[in-house]
Each structure stands twice: as C-alpha cells, then as structure tokens.
Amino acid sequence: MVIVTRIRREVLTLPAAQLGPDNPLPPLRPLDEVHLIDDRDRDGMPRDMARQLGYEPLRSLLPVRVRDGYDRTREPRTLDALVIENDRLRATVLPGLGGRVASLLHLPTGRELLYRNPVFQPANFALNGAWYSGGVEWNIGATGHTTLSCAPLHAARVPAPDGGEMLRLWEWERLRDLPFQVDLWLPDGSDFLYVGVRIRNPHERPVPTYWWSNIAVPEECRVLAPAEEAWHFGYARRLHRVPVPSYDGIDRTHPLNSPYAADYFYEVPDGRRRWIAALDADGHGLVQTSTDALRGRKLFVWGHLPGGRRWQQWLTEPGTGGYCEIQAGLARTQLEHVRLEPESEVSWLEAYGPLDAPPEGEWTRAVQGAEERLESALPRARVEEAYAAWRPCADTEPGEVLATGSGWGALEVLRADWKLPGTPFPESTLGEAQAPWRELLRTGTLPEPRRVRPPGETLVAAHWRDMLETAPATPHTEYHLGIAQWHAGDRAQAVRSWERALLLAPSLWPLLRCLAVADQEAGHHERAAERYADAFDDLCRERRDDGEAWTAAVAALGRETLRALLRTRRTADARAVWDRLLPSVRRRGRFRLLEAELLLAEGRPAEARAVFDAGFEVADLREGEEALGRLWARLTDDPLPARHDFRMRPDVV
C-alpha cells in the first residue's frame, strides 16, 4: 500500500494581535472560577458526578502566570503551522498556540468542517487569561480553558499505526504536574482525522485530572447527540437536568434559539456510542466520536441576545459568522475532576470527519439517522481497532522535531529521573526561566538575580517547597518560599517569610505587594492600601527603563494599587498613582475604565461619563465580568451602549 499522508510546515498570515508579556506578579488570589455551582444543585445527581464535582477543585493558578499583556491592535502577522493531510482531509495545526487544530478541510467537497477564525484575537477566557476562539482546542488541567491556550507545545513526526506518519504534540501541564500527548494521523483514504490522547500520572499519589476537546463549528446548525437529557449550566451558576431537545418551549439544539450563553452537558446512556455532530440546514457538517473513556458530550452556545452577540464580535471580525462549540470530555460535565491513580495513565482515541444526515424532524429519528450514517462512514468497531493499533505506537520515540515547547517538563524529568517513553523532555529545552531552579536542584541554593529586574516565576509543588525551605535564607529565596507556602495554604508562614525578607532585600516592591495581597485576603484593606502605595513608590524608583518587562510590572502593580486605594477611598493617593503611570499604559482600555472609576470617586461624574462616550475597549475583559455594566449604572440611567454590553446572564441589571 502506498502511504500518501503528508506532514509539512506552513506559515499562516492573518490579522493578529500581539500576545505581549506575561503579568510578572504571582497570582496569589483565589481563582475567579466561573465553573462553581450552588450546593443546592447537588441533590439528586448521580453519585460519581457529585463526588467529582467536589474533588480537588483548583484553588490557585500558581505556578502559572497570568497572560494579560495582549492588545486589540490586529495587523498582518505570521503564525507557524503544521499541516497533516491525505487525499481526503487537510488539518492545520498551530503548535505555538496550544496545538490548536485551526482548520479541518474536506478536500473532495472543499468544505471547512470547523469554525475557522479569520483573525487571531486573544481574550480573557483561559484560566490564566489569553485564549482565542476557533478550531479544536485541547483542554487539560482544571475546569476551564487550559493555561496552554496560547503557549507553545512540543511537536514531532512519529510513525503512525498504518506505517505512515503521525504528528505528535506534547507538553507538561503545570497546574496538576502531568505530562500529556496528542497524536494526530490520517489513514490512507480516510475521511476521518484520528487523534490519540494520553495523560500520564508519574507521581506516587493520585492526581485530579481534566480533559475536554472543544470544537468550534458555525452556529447556524443543529447539534445532535445520543441523549434525551442534559445538564444545563449558565452564568447564574445553577446546574439542573433538562430534557433534550426542548425545554421551556424552545428547541435548544439550535444554538441561535437560546437567549443566553449556556452549557448543555448531554447525558449519554452507558453502552451507547459516544458522538456529537453539528449539521447545517442542508445536512452537512462535522461529527466527532471516540472510544468510551471520553464519556462526556456538550454543546456551548452564546445566545442570541445582545451580550452574546457582542462577545461573538469581540472574538473575531465584525460581520463574520458566529460559532458554537461541541465538546467531548472525561466526565459528564466540565465542573468535575477525575481521579488519576498513582503511576497510571488514561488514554482514548477520537475521530473527526464529515457527516451528511438530515438534521431536522423528530429528535429520536434525527439522532438515529445520524448515528446510522456515522456507523456506515466510520463503524464503532473500526474506532476501537484504531485505538488498539495506536496504543503500542504511543511509546514510540519522536523523529524529526517540528516545534519546541517549554522547558518545565525537562526540569521535572531532571528532578525525578522519570522515564516517559514517547514524550521526551530533553535538557536542551531548559531555558532562562528554569535556570535558577536547576541551580537549586543541583546545589541546594537558589541563586540571586544577576541584574535588577522583576522576579522570575516561582515553583510551588511540595518537592520544590521542601528545597526552598532547606536553601540558604536569602531575601530572594524567602520571597519564593513565601509564595510556595501561600500556595500550600500556610498563609501565616508565608507572611513571616516575606516579612523576614524585607529586612535585607534590595528590592522591596515584590515583597510589599505579596504582603498587601495577604492583608486584603485577611480583610485588612487599609493596611493593604498603604503597602500597595509603598510598593508602587519602590517600583517607580527601581524601574530601569520603559522596556517590556518593566512596563508590564508597572502596569500590573499600578492596576492593583489603584483598586486598593479606590476601595479605601484614598482618591488623592489614587490620583498620584495614576499620574505616575506611563502614558501608553493610561491609554489601555482597562486603565480607561479605572480612570472613569477614579473620576467618579473624585465627584466628577460628567467627566467619568465622557470617558465612556469617548469609547474604549478593555482588551482583557474577563468572561462573565460585569464591571462595565455596574459602573455605567452608577453614572446614568441610560441603557448600556451596545459596545459595552457583554452581559451573559439574565439577572444582570
């Protein structure tokens, strides 16, 4: 047999915003988690679901940093891509942006099977900020969009089960300290892209894990899945069981029928084939199916009311089509974490391809018809056979390296001497961020920074915390130790570490900021404001230039300081901080919003209203955030302008 599958490099040019630098301040505050539910909703749900809803929810983003340095200025830029194709399908993958499958083109018909975003526009949807819409994304870590949404993954060629080539993507997921891999291949003549996924737990303890494959498709469709019920979850944070396809007189399987943004987690019966499809009015579309380990299926809709439409415009170019998401995960819902036993792994196979079936009509008949077409195009037994054939290949060592991810996996492998066949994390990938931690591992001492700059990243896992506790107690070490202690829940000891470091530290502002956060979390807002003000003064004295790193630090600390001072009604001090911000920072949308708050606090509502009237865009507006609407309501009784309407739930005034 002649193998025609090809993998090649490609460069995409499209309007794209810049990601910018990460926020240099360690994320000490509890996670602003939108996937929490009302405890009343636990009554009557399946036991395994109730247990997994409460199983080790993520409390902190540490050791990951927040990515909020992006903007909304889109210019033609190039993105590195990897293309895998046979004579039926062409899949375009972005290894530098989370390994996203940006496009899946069916070559015989010329149909794009996914929603392909015509721009790259980061927005604040990932657990750590920057995320973008479109394609198929691989969500690992914890409830929400992965912290790897806009991060590079390792990529390489690997022999496929049929003798052709696979594209392997892999990385180290840092929230849960787990390595994972995604293998993509196209058998000769196949209309389906096969995707083998494996998550490994190399630790001697169980670890909570999470996975959802999120597939963006054009929203003018009907979504079919083998279920008669679903768990509905919206931004009011209530989870309840609803019938499928209709409830409250509305057929919710048509995404544009729903008024508000919502999740519908389908209750697929045990033993039933796992699949979900999105079909347009002519019956053409995409189907995703898998082996049974990937049990969950979900539909996400934006809704047809102004807030949802505004979000659709926000994430792409106005005037382009909108999207919904069909998804597949390890649990019933995205509110759950699954226990991964010590020194074990979980794996499965997914398949993505075209489906032609009548989408309309009575629900059971439409689902049955689609399932029969799927069985004809890709029998369930063939998916199981493909999975069995792939499993031995999962350990095959990669060949030609096509892209390089982070060095964090290499550091962990170096520390524990783990053997992870198929997913090498070579020492050659260690970089500047890992250098001090490698030195701590080698010598037992965390080296002092060689030049004055904002502190680097902190590692917080128990084994790194133990090393910090036994290292020489320099101010730099005490700073990082305090962050690791804070992450572990030992807040009193963290404060003591930071206070000890203050006595000898050449740079005070990182420590003062940590202590200010601790004061806020303890309810001491006046003291927090004072420490924030002192920290900002120290940073302004220490700042060496107006380069990217220092500007990011001034913007991040200035933003937190302004909020702390406004909260304690210290408007004169807040104005003094505002005046010391760089003009380029003051022009950012988030700071224009803060300016309006400051003007209102100063008793200047007309000038605050003028800020809104002049127009601004908060590039890092958080999913579900209502700050714009709340401030507008304090200024006027006028309706919220459409450009500021991002409301995602029905009870927002």
Side-chain angles (χ1 to χ4, degrees):
M1 180 175 65
V2 177
I3 304 297
V4 297
T5 301
R6 298 171 296 280
I7 299 175
R8 69 176 189 275
R9 300 176 190 270
E10 193 170 280
V11 175
L12 302 183
T13 301
L14 70 165
Q18 295 194 83
L19 275 170
D22 289 354
N23 188 319
L25 306 183
L28 300 177
R29 289 184 175 81
L31 194 64
D32 179 21
E33 178 57 88
V34 299
H35 297 91
L36 300 176
I37 68 166
D38 192 305
D39 284 340
R40 294 171 294 176
D41 295 335
R42 297 177 187 272
D43 295 339
M45 67 175 53
R47 286 186 178 181
D48 62 331
M49 180 177 170
R51 181 178 63 253
Q52 291 175 170
L53 281 168
Y55 177 47
E56 294 200 31
L58 192 66
R59 305 294 186 188
S60 167
L61 277 177
L62 290 165
V64 175
R65 284 188 163 180
V66 172
R67 308 204 72 175
D68 60 3
Y70 52 88
D71 57 28
R72 292 188 58 79
T73 301
R74 294 193 288 269
E75 298 176 355
R77 306 181 199 275
T78 58
L79 300 177
D80 290 333
L82 298 171
V83 175
I84 176 170
E85 67 179 321
N86 62 7
D87 57 341
R88 308 291 295 176
L89 283 177
R90 179 186 300 145
T92 302
V93 179
L94 303 179
L97 293 169
R100 184 82 57 100
V101 180
S103 169
L104 187 60
L105 185 67
H106 187 235
L107 298 174
T109 61
R111 293 204 309 261
E112 173 61 60
L113 301 181
L114 304 173
Y115 167 74
R116 182 171 187 171
N117 198 331
V119 305
F120 171 68
Q121 177 55 66
N124 194 355
F125 278 73
L127 287 166
N128 64 330
W131 171 90
Y132 62 105
S133 64
V136 183
E137 58 176 312
W138 317 113
N139 284 295
I140 183 174
T143 53
H145 293 282
T146 178
T147 62
L148 296 167
S149 292
C150 291
L153 304 189
H154 300 280
R157 299 178 192 268
V158 182
D162 61 1
E165 286 188 323
M166 288 193 299
L167 173 61
R168 175 164 298 162
L169 307 167
W170 74 99
E171 239 312 346
W172 194 276
E173 199 289 308
R174 300 179 67 202
L175 294 179
R176 303 299 196 183
D177 264 341
L178 298 176
F180 71 98
Q181 72 188 77
V182 179
D183 289 353
L184 303 98
W185 78 101
L186 287 164
D188 185 25
S190 174
D191 277 318
F192 285 83
L193 173 68
Y194 287 175
V195 181
V197 183
R198 175 167 65 168
I199 305 172
R200 287 191 273 203
N201 176 14
H203 303 281
E204 296 178 349
R205 55 180 171 80
V207 177
T209 192
Y210 172 93
W211 183 279
W212 281 80
S213 302
N214 289 13
I215 309 141
V217 293
E219 65 182 348
E220 293 186 0
C221 67
R222 191 184 197 195
V223 173
L224 303 178
E228 302 293 330
E229 293 182 310
W231 295 90
H232 172 270
F233 183 74
Y235 285 83
R237 297 187 177 181
R238 298 302 306 272
L239 180 69
H240 60 282
R241 200 189 302 251
V242 299
V244 175
S246 301
Y247 79 94
D248 288 345
I250 300 173
D251 184 339
R252 311 284 174 152
T253 62
H254 291 271
L256 286 171
N257 284 355
S258 292
Y260 291 97
D263 299 328
Y264 298 91
F265 299 103
Y266 294 116
E267 187 69 67
V268 179
D270 291 341
R272 191 78 182 264
R273 184 174 186 177
R274 308 282 162 173
W275 63 273
I276 189 168
L279 304 175
D280 64 20
D282 295 325
H284 306 311
L286 172 84
V287 65
Q288 186 272 359
T289 187
S290 72
T291 50
D292 289 351
L294 203 65
R295 64 165 301 173
R297 292 299 184 275
K298 171 193 159 182
L299 164 64
F300 166 76
V301 300
W302 282 108
H304 61 71
L305 291 180
R309 306 330 297 164
R310 182 68 180 114
W311 275 113
Q312 292 272 33
Q313 298 166 5
W314 186 252
L315 296 170
T316 185
E317 290 282 8
T320 59
Y323 75 96
C324 63
E325 287 180 354
I326 56 175
Q327 306 181 11
L330 282 176
R332 279 185 178 85
T333 73
Q334 285 177 328
L335 316 178
E336 304 167 62
H337 296 106
V338 176
R339 179 185 172 102
L340 190 56
E341 296 298 336
E343 300 178 332
S344 70
E345 62 182 51
V346 60
S347 63
W348 61 90
L349 184 105
E350 304 180 46
Y352 296 79
L355 184 69
D356 295 313
E360 301 303 333
E362 192 269 331
W363 175 251
T364 302
R365 186 175 299 112
V367 169
Q368 182 178 349
E371 191 161 7
E372 290 172 354
R373 295 287 184 93
L374 171 60
E375 184 65 19
S376 176
L378 183 66
R380 186 177 186 179
R382 190 183 301 167
V383 174
E384 298 291 342
E385 291 165 2
Y387 172 67
W390 167 72
R391 284 295 292 119
C393 299
D395 283 347
T396 302
E397 291 304 313
E400 179 191 359
V401 174
L402 300 171
T404 303
S406 78
W408 296 113
L411 185 66
E412 293 299 331
V413 168
L414 185 65
R415 178 193 65 81
D417 194 29
W418 276 319
K419 308 301 180 187
L420 300 169
T423 54
F425 293 95
E427 288 189 45
S428 60
T429 61
L430 293 168
E432 184 180 3
Q434 294 82 39
W437 301 97
R438 185 184 190 182
E439 185 70 10
L440 174 64
L441 183 63
R442 188 177 67 86
T443 68
T445 298
L446 190 70
E448 291 294 305
R450 295 180 179 177
R451 65 179 188 272
V452 177
R453 59 181 175 178
E457 297 182 58
T458 303
L459 296 182
V460 297
H463 42 267
W464 293 107
R465 187 174 71 250
D466 290 345
M467 282 184 259
L468 288 169
E469 287 176 343
T470 58
T474 65
H476 184 60
T477 300
E478 294 277 28
Y479 164 78
H480 287 289
L481 174 58
I483 294 170
Q485 291 166 333
W486 181 272
H487 176 263
D490 192 350
R491 295 189 170 186
Q493 189 58 55
V495 168
R496 285 192 286 272
S497 295
W498 293 325
E499 288 176 340
R500 284 195 303 269
L502 271 178
L503 300 175
L504 296 173
S507 181
L508 301 181
W509 67 267
L511 296 159
L512 289 169
R513 182 264 176 177
C514 289
L515 290 167
V517 173
D519 284 336
Q520 284 185 328
E521 292 298 305
H524 304 308
H525 297 291
E526 292 288 346
R527 188 167 67 194
E530 187 66 32
R531 278 179 160 155
Y532 263 122
D534 290 344
F536 190 76
D537 284 344
D538 187 66
L539 172 57
C540 289
R541 285 192 297 268
E542 183 176 289
R543 188 179 76 206
R544 293 297 189 263
D545 54 49
D546 293 341
E548 185 178 80
W550 286 107
T551 299
V554 171
L557 185 59
R559 175 174 165 178
E560 291 188 12
T561 303
L562 282 168
R563 291 206 173 281
L565 293 170
L566 287 172
R567 180 169 189 166
T568 54
R569 298 182 174 83
R570 294 175 55 171
T571 54
D573 292 332
R575 175 59 64 182
V577 169
W578 174 266
D579 290 341
R580 297 174 75 180
L581 293 173
L582 297 171
S584 61
V585 172
R586 290 200 297 262
R587 288 193 294 268
R588 297 179 189 176
R590 176 64 67 177
F591 286 87
R592 295 285 285 160
L593 178 62
L594 278 169
E595 181 186 20
E597 290 187 53
L598 175 57
L599 288 166
L600 183 60
E602 291 173 331
R604 301 155 67 184
E607 293 174 71
R609 169 66 186 265
V611 173
F612 274 87
D613 293 341
F616 60 88
E617 292 184 323
V618 181
D620 63 333
L621 191 71
R622 183 67 177 165
E623 175 189 10
E625 185 177 343
E626 298 164 6
L628 286 167
R630 285 198 302 267
L631 183 57
W632 179 263
R634 293 170 59 196
L635 292 172
T636 178
D637 292 329
D638 293 345
L640 183 65
R643 66 179 179 273
H644 295 308
D645 190 353
F646 293 89
R647 292 173 289 187
M648 300 177 73
R649 59 190 179 112
D651 57 341
V652 178
V653 177

